[in-house]
């Protein structure tokens, strides 16, 4: 095994472990926001309003993510990818641990949900800077012909984090009484984050800086104000990254977050039906996302991505009828196929977005395009789905909403170039500045 291959694998492993821990923290909150927080932090509200308020605090993180992308993206393009990745992991781990020790509404009143929302905001800042750095480090190391596969591994952190977070909450839920779970059991997975973060730090401190960034640094070509340059030189790339992500987010959070609300609230089924169904689908994604990334190296980013878009748009009309059967095998089938379509989109997404931007601006550009879309997509998807069903008393309205969002993603793919064969090397400083594929 050659040195560069060893380092590439080490970087991919560090990105995967760190991103998995960050998404573990993030999904821990998302799942608790549907299972625990309505009763613990909003007990004075009726069940619907409490769930809506809890999901709204969940959405606070999505608002913070673009800010985190701007701040950490700036330093990622100025001082390097590795340093920023260490900081984002610490930010996420500490805020998650503190959520685990928060007093509830019964103890401190309205201060409890305020502190909850504040810590969720800090979580969003950390994740906003995490994604871009992890993806770019994996992308910029190793063989350029395997960029889609390499960059897909940080994406695996999403199902890995979900499996870990939901699995632990499920264990707490089924091994103790409802009273014990609501009192203290839910806190254990949050407190565990404080220990897990040290594992991620140990791995990340052992990797080297991105060779492409090091080249930019040697040339003295680092951008002074990366975000300003991105807005000036890559506007269409930003638009493409933004639109290409919206539908993926809406579909994902409908398939993984709203499903819990629908199954427990509307169908009156045990929480375990939704949690276990999504856990099975997420476990399959651990293999399917890298596969989709590898396929994008062979066939192109856009074709593989589009297969997932079309598949999700069709399946969403079967998704809710299968849930309505109240049969766990069919509910599991609904979730599994839904997450298969998501994997087809999510696998090539990392390389596709990052490749739209030149090396000296890649951290800021990719983070901004990806994270701003999260506000319109992931932050609002469960809330909009909840309101649509409440207004129309029909899941058809929710399905149409998902399809419209996926149509926006298809448009984003249509206005973008195929990025698989682009040369990511930064041109010498003496040449005209590179402004990306949309110049």
């Amino acid at each position: 095994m050659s040195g560069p291959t060893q380092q590439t694998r080490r970087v991919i492993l560090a990105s995967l472990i760190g991103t998995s821990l960050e998404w573990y923290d993030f999904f821990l909150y998302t799942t608790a926001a549907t299972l625990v927080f309505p009763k613990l932090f909003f007990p004075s509200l009726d069940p619907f309003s409490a769930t809506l308020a809890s999901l709204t605090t969940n959405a606070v993180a999505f608002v913070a993510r673009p800010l985190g992308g701007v701040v950490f993206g700036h330093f990622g393009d100025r001082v390097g990818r590795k340093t920023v990745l260490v900081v984002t992991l610490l930010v996420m781990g500490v805020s998650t641990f503190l959520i685990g020790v928060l007093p509830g509404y019964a103890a401190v009143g309205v201060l409890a949900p305020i502190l909850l929302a504040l810590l969720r905001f800090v979580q969003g800042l950390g994740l906003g800077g995490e994604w871009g750095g992890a993806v770019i480090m994996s992308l910029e190391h190793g063989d350029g012909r395997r960029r889609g596969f390499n960059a897909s591994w940080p994406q695996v952190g999403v199902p890995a984090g979900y499996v870990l977070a939901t699995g632990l909450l499920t264990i707490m839920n089924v091994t103790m009484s409802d009273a014990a779970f609501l009192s203290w059991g839910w806190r254990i997975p949050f407190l565990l984050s404080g220990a897990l973060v040290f594992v991620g730090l140990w791995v990340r401190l052992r990797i080297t800086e991105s060779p492409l960034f090091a080249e930019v640094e040697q040339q003295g070509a680092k951008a002074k104000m990366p975000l300003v340059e991105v807005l000036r030189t890559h506007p269409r790339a930003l638009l493409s990254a933004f639109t290409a992500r919206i539908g993926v987010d809406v579909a994902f959070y409908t398939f993984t977050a709203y499903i819990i609300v629908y199954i427990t609230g509307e169908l009156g089924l045990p929480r375990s039906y939704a949690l276990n169904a999504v856990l099975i689908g997420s476990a399959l994604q651990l293999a399917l996302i890298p596969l989709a990334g590898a396929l994008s190296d062979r066939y192109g980013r856009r074709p593989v991505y589009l297969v997932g878009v079309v598949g999700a748009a069709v399946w969403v009309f079967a998704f809710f009828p299968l849930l309505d059967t109240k049969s766990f095998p069919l509910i599991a089938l609904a979730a599994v196929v839904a997450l298969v379509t998501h994997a087809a989109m999510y696998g090539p997404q990392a390389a596709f977005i990052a490749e739209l931007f030149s090396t000296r601006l890649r951290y800021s550009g990719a983070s901004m395009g990806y994270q701003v879309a999260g506000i319109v997509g992931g932050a609002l998807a469960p809330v909009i789905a909840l309101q649509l069903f409440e207004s129309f008393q029909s899941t058809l309205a929710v399905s149409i909403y998902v399809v419209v969002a996926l149509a926006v993603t298809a448009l984003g793919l249509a206005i973008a170039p195929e990025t698989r064969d682009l040369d990511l090397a930064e041109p010498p400083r003496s040449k005209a500045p590179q402004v990306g594929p949309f110049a």
Side-chain angles (χ1 to χ4, degrees):
M1 187 188 304
S2 65
T5 302
Q6 287 181 351
Q7 185 57 222
T8 299
R9 292 180 179 179
R10 183 177 294 174
V11 167
I12 290 173
L13 178 63
S15 296
L16 173 60
I17 291 176
T19 307
S20 297
L21 293 178
E22 295 250 1
W23 282 108
Y24 162 78
D25 293 347
F26 197 78
F27 284 130
L28 201 55
Y29 189 105
T30 301
T31 305
T34 60
L35 297 178
V36 178
F37 294 164
K39 297 177 181 178
L40 189 65
F41 291 97
F42 305 97
S44 61
L45 302 177
D46 63 84
F48 172 80
S49 299
T51 300
L52 189 61
S54 182
L55 289 174
T56 301
T57 67
N58 180 53
V60 166
F62 291 88
V63 177
R65 281 166 64 176
L67 180 58
V70 169
V71 174
F72 292 116
H74 172 86
F75 288 105
D77 285 328
R78 289 291 300 160
V79 303
R81 290 44 165 140
K82 176 182 173 179
T83 301
V84 171
L85 281 176
V86 170
V87 174
T88 58
L89 191 62
L90 282 172
V91 168
M92 192 62 143
V94 171
S95 57
T96 303
F97 179 85
L98 291 177
I99 290 174
V101 298
L102 269 185
Y105 187 91
V108 295
V110 72
L111 182 62
I114 292 174
L115 290 174
L116 181 70
L118 178 62
L119 288 172
R120 183 57 169 169
F121 185 84
V122 176
Q123 277 192 323
L125 290 176
L127 190 63
E130 163 70 23
W131 180 86
V135 164
I136 290 168
M137 283 289 279
S138 299
L139 183 85
E140 293 181 344
H141 280 82
D143 189 346
R145 294 169 298 180
R146 294 166 60 87
R147 293 196 308 246
F149 178 72
N150 290 347
S152 71
W153 283 103
Q155 304 287 76
V156 176
V158 172
Y162 187 90
V163 168
L164 186 58
T166 308
L168 281 174
L169 279 175
T170 301
I171 291 172
M172 296 295 105
N173 191 25
V174 300
T175 57
M176 57 182 62
S177 66
D178 284 346
F181 178 71
L182 288 173
S183 175
W184 58 269
W186 69 271
R187 298 180 183 274
I188 294 175
F190 283 86
L191 298 176
L192 183 61
S193 178
L196 292 176
V197 73
F198 288 104
V199 177
L201 286 174
W202 178 76
V203 175
R204 285 196 166 170
L205 288 171
R206 299 176 67 235
I207 62 175
T208 60
E209 183 56 85
S210 156
L212 291 183
F213 177 80
E215 183 180 341
V216 169
E217 196 169 34
Q218 289 170 2
Q219 294 173 358
K222 292 189 295 184
K224 293 182 178 179
M225 295 295 293
L227 180 60
V228 174
E229 254 189 82
V230 168
L231 293 172
R232 180 173 58 85
T233 60
H234 294 69
R236 196 173 170 191
L238 278 173
L239 177 63
S240 182
F242 174 79
T243 52
R245 174 155 158 72
I246 288 176
V248 184
D249 247 19
V250 169
F252 179 75
Y253 283 97
T254 300
F255 294 148
T256 61
Y258 181 67
I259 185 178
I260 300 174
V261 176
Y262 184 73
I263 282 181
T264 58
E266 301 301 329
L267 300 183
L269 295 174
R271 290 185 292 250
S272 60
Y273 274 46
L275 293 175
N276 291 337
V278 177
L279 274 174
I280 295 170
S282 297
L284 287 175
Q285 283 196 315
L286 298 177
L288 292 175
I289 289 175
L291 174 61
L295 289 173
S296 78
D297 285 327
R298 182 168 184 176
Y299 299 107
R301 315 290 185 232
R302 295 192 302 173
V304 177
Y305 208 132
L306 190 59
V307 167
V309 171
V310 174
V314 172
W315 187 250
V316 73
F317 290 103
F319 180 74
F320 287 107
L322 287 172
L323 301 186
D324 289 338
T325 65
K326 299 186 177 182
S327 164
F328 177 73
L330 293 179
I331 290 172
L333 176 65
V336 166
V337 176
L339 291 177
V340 168
T341 67
H342 176 261
M345 298 182 283
Y346 207 58
Q349 183 186 81
F352 172 74
I353 291 177
E355 288 166 345
L356 292 173
F357 303 92
S358 56
T359 300
R360 61 200 297 270
L361 304 173
R362 185 165 295 128
Y363 206 137
S364 296
S367 296
M368 179 54 58
Y370 184 90
Q371 302 299 350
V372 171
I375 300 177
V376 182
L380 298 179
V383 176
I384 291 176
L386 191 66
Q387 293 282 26
L388 283 173
F389 185 84
E390 185 72 11
S391 299
F392 295 96
Q393 291 298 302
S394 170
T395 56
L396 180 61
V398 180
S399 298
I400 292 173
Y401 161 58
V402 173
V403 170
V404 170
L406 288 167
V408 173
T409 287
L411 176 62
L413 295 175
I415 65 174
E418 176 52 60
T419 62
R420 179 189 60 179
D421 298 321
L422 290 176
D423 184 4
L424 300 188
E426 192 73 17
R429 186 66 168 169
S430 58
K431 294 184 180 181
Q434 181 178 337
V435 293
F438 293 109

